[in-house]
Amino acid sequence: MGLAERKERDKLELKKTILEAAQKMLLAHGQDGLSIRKIADEIEYSPATIYLYFADKDAILHELMEMGFGVMNEYMKDAFAQKDPIKRIHSIGHAYIRFGLENKDWYELMFNSDKPMKHIEKCCEDWDQGMAMFAFLTETCRQAIELHKMENVEEQILALQLWCSVHGLVNLALTERLEIVQQNNSQVLIEKTLDAIIHTIFKE
Amino acid sequence: MGLAERKERDKLELKKTILEAAQKMLLAHGQDGLSIRKIADEIEYSPATIYLYFADKDAILHELMEMGFGVMNEYMKDAFAQKDPIKRIHSIGHAYIRFGLENKDWYELMFNSDKPMKHIEKCCEDWDQGMAMFAFLTETCRQAIELHKMENVEEQILALQLWCSVHGLVNLALTERLEIVQQNNSQVLIEKTLDAIIHTIFKE
DNA sequence: AAATATAATAAACAGTGTTCAGTAAATTAC
DNA sequence: GTAATTTACTGAACACTGTTTATTATATTT
């Protein structure tokens, strides 16, 4: 890449360029293979330059995490549009699991890594996308509770019950810990478990 | 520490000494704060010496993981002794969560880190303790299904349903992601959710 | 043309896992 | 008792990591 080309590209866009390189690296080599120095190499700047645009590596990971929610929302599109709240819950569950299994590195950053969370804490920010996701699920649960006239069920607890189930399922699968239950075909195992979870809650 | 003291200590016991130092470091500073060089410093040997006793860092983390299951079994003692299978499930759930919340670094190693699992894969070994734990839970579920005459419920699926729920719950709590649901008192939130999970499955 | 502001960097600091040639001490063989 | 061999260990290097700071080159303003 020539010097002229680079000059044209950067200026106001260097932050974006850094994030694009970071994303490329995340998807190619995972969070462990993502280093400031390699980003610097990729975009042909020195490592120090990156620190003029981001406070530290956690800040970059935090922005990547936010981008990850964009990717997840694509998976959720159809599910969110479901009219029936219980069908919506089912679809959200499926989409969530599919997103997790197909996007290990995004998922890790969004729901497991403490680095983006450390940035949030440091900057006194909030986990906005996480909150929005949970709020939507909670509202869907409220509708399901109302529709099914379920008694003594708190919408928040129900939402958490669903979230932690799929979260646990995805994590067990991503860390190869489901293999002890069934060597191959963990996809089927996951499907069956999700169906069982929703069935035990809503009785079909 | 003098030279005589060291001579006496090591010999056949160096491997143990390394693991003890590693455990101390894990509990004091977490997995990120655990380095081969710091272990070497602590036991007053060179870093290279450690590689005469362990193939690599993953091998050390794998042995630590196995030690972690020992710690967890202490938490499980009373629960395992429960006669009634449903009460046993409840107690196991409680003990599992308590262990996870009180032992973040052990838990991380046992149920999240891919480094011990990489060692297992490399050495063509099995995740023995994980399998034993799941087998016991599955057997308990079989008993519960029998006792309650539950129809169309597979013991394995039920066991996985329970495991992934508490696993997800612990992970959300440990990564500070439960705070979006409830700022303080996440302990109560977790208890309520566990109760809800078991209630929806066994109807009281 | 001189003074100032901006942008980028080289180099250093303090760490990481891992390997390998080389050394010192203990053991065995003669 | 000396020589040969084995065992136990280490220093130094390699290739990395995130981060900071003094310095330089360029661009803008006075």
Side-chain angles (χ1 to χ4, degrees):
Chain A
M1 189 174 297
L3 199 128
E5 217 173 329
R6 180 181 129 185
K7 270 248 176 118
E8 176 193 307
R9 185 196 50 189
D10 56 2
K11 272 288 156 208
L12 293 161
E13 300 299 332
L14 193 42
K15 193 165 179 173
K16 211 178 223 168
T17 309
I18 292 168
L19 285 174
E20 277 166 13
Q23 171 180 351
K24 195 175 141 189
M25 231 130 228
L26 176 74
L27 297 180
H29 311 290
Q31 211 190 127
D32 288 350
L34 171 64
S35 87
I36 300 247
R37 292 176 120 101
K38 280 190 209 146
I39 294 172
D41 247 44
E42 169 82 17
I43 63 171
E44 299 184 87
Y45 281 85
S46 84
T49 301
I50 290 172
Y51 286 86
L52 301 173
Y53 296 85
F54 292 94
D56 52 25
K57 197 183 175 183
D58 289 353
I60 295 176
L61 293 175
H62 177 254
E63 293 235 28
L64 283 177
M65 183 209 74
E66 293 193 321
M67 291 161 74
F69 273 95
V71 178
M72 187 169 97
N73 279 332
E74 282 299 310
Y75 278 76
M76 290 292 174
K77 248 177 162 177
D78 291 351
F80 283 175
Q82 282 273 6
K83 284 274 154 29
D84 179 60
I86 293 178
K87 277 188 188 159
R88 200 187 310 147
I89 285 173
H90 210 124
S91 298
I92 289 173
H94 265 100
Y96 187 97
I97 288 171
R98 200 163 65 83
F99 168 73
L101 298 184
E102 292 177 5
N103 303 274
K104 181 180 163 80
D105 299 310
W106 286 128
Y107 192 85
E108 208 68 31
L109 221 46
M110 291 159 66
F111 296 110
N112 284 324
S113 177
D114 49 354
K115 279 159 191 166
M117 298 311 267
K118 240 172 76 186
H119 174 85
I120 287 175
E121 197 150 2
K122 202 184 94 178
C123 301
C124 297
E125 290 177 21
D126 277 317
W127 192 36
D128 291 328
Q129 288 98 334
M131 287 170 75
M133 180 219 75
F134 189 72
F136 186 87
L137 181 63
T138 305
E139 168 57 18
T140 297
C141 285
R142 194 196 60 74
Q143 292 169 19
I145 290 166
E146 196 175 64
L147 198 75
H148 271 232
K149 296 186 176 59
M150 295 164 86
E151 270 167 42
N152 300 319
V153 178
E154 291 178 51
E155 61 219 48
Q156 239 191 8
I157 301 297
L158 181 55
L160 183 53
Q161 194 177 334
L162 289 162
W163 185 24
C164 74
S165 299
V166 289
H167 180 53
L169 221 39
V170 169
N171 271 336
L172 290 176
L174 289 182
T175 61
E176 250 97 286
R177 281 175 173 88
L178 269 192
E179 285 173 17
I180 64 162
V181 182
Q182 197 159 46
Q183 274 84 355
N184 41 7
N185 245 330
S186 70
Q187 185 63 50
V188 173
L189 185 68
I190 291 166
E191 298 275 320
K192 276 177 86 170
T193 309
L194 177 60
D195 289 346
I197 289 163
I198 292 175
H199 180 80
T200 53
I201 294 172
F202 300 109
K203 287 117 198 153
E204 197 242 348
Chain B
M1 191 174 296
L3 200 129
E5 214 172 331
R6 179 181 128 183
K7 268 250 175 115
E8 176 192 307
R9 185 196 51 189
D10 54 4
K11 272 287 156 213
L12 294 160
E13 301 297 334
L14 193 43
K15 193 166 179 173
K16 211 176 223 170
T17 310
I18 291 168
L19 285 174
E20 276 165 14
Q23 171 179 353
K24 196 175 139 189
M25 231 131 229
L26 176 74
L27 297 179
H29 310 290
Q31 210 190 125
D32 288 350
L34 171 64
S35 87
I36 301 253
R37 293 175 119 101
K38 279 190 209 147
I39 293 172
D41 247 44
E42 170 82 17
I43 63 171
E44 299 184 86
Y45 280 86
S46 83
T49 302
I50 290 173
Y51 286 87
L52 301 173
Y53 296 85
F54 293 94
D56 51 25
K57 198 184 174 182
D58 289 354
I60 296 176
L61 293 175
H62 177 253
E63 293 236 26
L64 283 177
M65 183 207 73
E66 292 192 323
M67 292 161 73
F69 273 94
V71 178
M72 186 168 99
N73 280 332
E74 282 300 308
Y75 277 75
M76 290 291 175
K77 249 177 163 177
D78 291 351
F80 283 174
Q82 281 273 4
K83 284 274 154 30
D84 179 61
I86 292 180
K87 276 187 188 161
R88 202 187 308 147
I89 286 173
H90 210 125
S91 297
I92 289 173
H94 264 102
Y96 187 97
I97 287 171
R98 200 164 64 84
F99 168 73
L101 298 184
E102 291 176 7
N103 303 274
K104 180 182 164 78
D105 299 311
W106 286 128
Y107 192 87
E108 208 67 33
L109 222 46
M110 294 158 66
F111 296 110
N112 284 323
S113 177
D114 48 356
K115 278 158 190 166
M117 299 309 269
K118 240 171 75 185
H119 174 86
I120 288 175
E121 196 151 3
K122 201 184 93 179
C123 303
C124 295
E125 291 177 19
D126 276 316
W127 191 38
D128 292 328
Q129 288 98 333
M131 287 171 76
M133 180 219 74
F134 188 73
F136 186 87
L137 182 64
T138 304
E139 169 58 17
T140 297
C141 284
R142 195 196 60 74
Q143 292 170 19
I145 290 166
E146 197 175 65
L147 196 77
H148 270 233
K149 297 184 174 60
M150 295 165 86
E151 272 167 40
N152 300 318
V153 178
E154 291 178 52
E155 62 219 48
Q156 241 192 7
I157 300 297
L158 181 56
L160 183 52
Q161 193 177 335
L162 288 162
W163 185 23
C164 75
S165 297
V166 289
H167 180 54
L169 220 40
V170 169
N171 271 335
L172 289 176
L174 289 181
T175 60
E176 248 97 287
R177 282 175 172 86
L178 269 193
E179 285 173 17
I180 65 162
V181 182
Q182 196 158 46
Q183 272 83 354
N184 41 8
N185 245 326
S186 69
Q187 185 64 49
V188 173
L189 185 68
I190 290 166
E191 297 276 320
K192 277 177 85 170
T193 308
L194 177 60
D195 289 346
I197 289 163
I198 292 174
H199 179 80
T200 53
I201 294 173
F202 301 108
K203 287 117 198 151
E204 196 240 353

